[in-house]
Amino acid sequence: MAPLVDVRVCADATDLAWRVAEDGAAILVGAIRANGRCSLALSGGSTPRALYSRWASAFADRIPWPRVHVFWGDERFVPPDDPRSNYRLARETLLDHVPCSPENIHPMPTTVSTPDLAASRYETVLREHFAGGGPRFDLVLLGLGDDGHTASLFPRAAALDEHARWVVPTTAPADPRSRLTLTLPPLNAAAHVFFLVAGAGKADVLPRVLDRQADVRRYPAAGIQPDGDLVWWVDRDAAARYQTGI
Ligand code: 6PG
């Protein structure tokens, strides 16, 4: 019997950000208490912005930021100061406001000559961080595109069939087309995965992704079936059709 999906419906995007900030902080603090550090993979997109701002303000003193290693689940292959950069989003809303150790912030290297070289370099960073063992993020944050993508795993992408490499270059249907993404294995090896989904624009795709029969090649987010905990944090607008079961 497939495990029940843990979908937590929040009143709105603000409520979602507060609840994810609390539960995410508890995971990070618990991992640091157990292991002396934690490994966090951030998402891009617009939804996590409110979460990052809350972590930077109300949680600046509640999370031992010097012990947090920050990674990214995907990145646009643009310079780090490009307005489309996921690294820039996180730096502006979170990392410039909390005392992370600079050596513990691990952006995907988007200034090297090619996306493939960047992916290989990042994979080396990850393998060294996880000391030659398997990737074991304590918390991975993910968004959901209205086409069912997550990270930069887009429908029918070759990256969905990649089971050896942890990081690969991909091509997005929208600008900027050149992307880097973690593949399904490192995402699914995480101890905790949080999806953050808000807005009426996600109401149609959410039930399709959560359908147990979902085709991962059509709805890549359905391929996120982690060994650890998976929580879908959704606001009421995004859950409108899922709740009614239409
Ligand atoms: C990116 C993200 C992408 C995002 C979804 C949802 O680089 O854009 O990794 O997967 O999470 O597209 O984006 P929104 O949160 O803006 O809806």
Side-chain angles (χ1 to χ4, degrees):
M1 175 71 176
L4 286 177
V5 182
D6 186 347
V7 179
R8 302 186 193 178
V9 182
C10 306
D12 53 27
T14 300
D15 180 42
L16 186 153
W18 275 114
R19 291 175 63 181
V20 173
E22 283 286 355
D23 280 40
I27 289 167
L28 300 182
V29 169
I32 290 165
R33 280 206 188 106
N35 307 314
R37 74 176 195 182
C38 71
S39 304
L40 166 66
L42 297 180
S43 170
S46 57
T47 305
R49 183 182 286 270
L51 163 64
Y52 298 162
S53 297
R54 274 151 189 77
W55 271 348
S57 50
F59 291 79
D61 301 326
R62 290 178 55 186
I63 297 172
W65 291 105
R67 302 291 189 103
V68 179
H69 284 258
V70 182
F71 298 87
W72 277 260
D74 75 319
E75 185 54 276
R76 293 87 178 279
F77 195 67
V78 296
D81 60 353
D82 188 296
R84 302 165 296 175
S85 164
N86 290 338
Y87 165 77
R88 175 172 163 173
L89 164 70
R91 180 159 288 292
E92 288 178 341
T93 55
L94 174 59
L95 301 176
D96 282 349
H97 310 282
V98 294
C100 279
S101 304
E103 68 274 17
N104 293 348
I105 298 175
H106 310 280
M108 290 189 173
T110 59
T111 55
V112 298
S113 56
T114 68
D116 195 64
L117 177 59
S120 299
R121 290 267 179 90
Y122 205 60
E123 178 148 346
T124 300
V125 169
L126 288 173
R127 289 183 184 275
E128 287 172 358
H129 176 73
F130 291 111
R136 184 73 171 164
F137 289 102
D138 295 291
L139 177 59
V140 170
L141 302 176
L142 291 172
L144 175 66
D146 58 12
D147 61 353
H149 82 260
T150 192
S152 283
L153 296 168
F154 293 94
R156 292 173 289 282
L160 294 168
D161 300 318
E162 178 58 59
H163 297 290
R165 293 180 71 179
W166 294 0
V167 191
V168 294
T170 64
T171 303
D175 174 71
R177 292 174 57 80
S178 185
R179 308 279 181 102
L180 303 169
T181 190
L182 297 189
T183 55
L184 289 175
L187 294 172
N188 282 325
H192 299 270
V193 177
F194 282 1
F195 271 100
L196 283 64
V197 186
K202 308 294 172 70
D204 284 343
V205 71
L206 184 66
R208 295 190 175 109
V209 166
L210 294 179
D211 183 328
R212 289 198 184 94
Q213 309 301 320
D215 173 4
V216 173
R217 296 200 58 72
R218 174 63 190 85
Y219 298 106
I224 302 298
Q225 302 288 342
D227 304 333
D229 294 329
L230 171 60
V231 179
W232 285 82
W233 297 94
V234 301
D235 76 352
R236 199 171 287 146
D237 287 343
R241 296 175 70 81
Y242 175 71
Q243 278 177 312
T244 55
I246 290 176

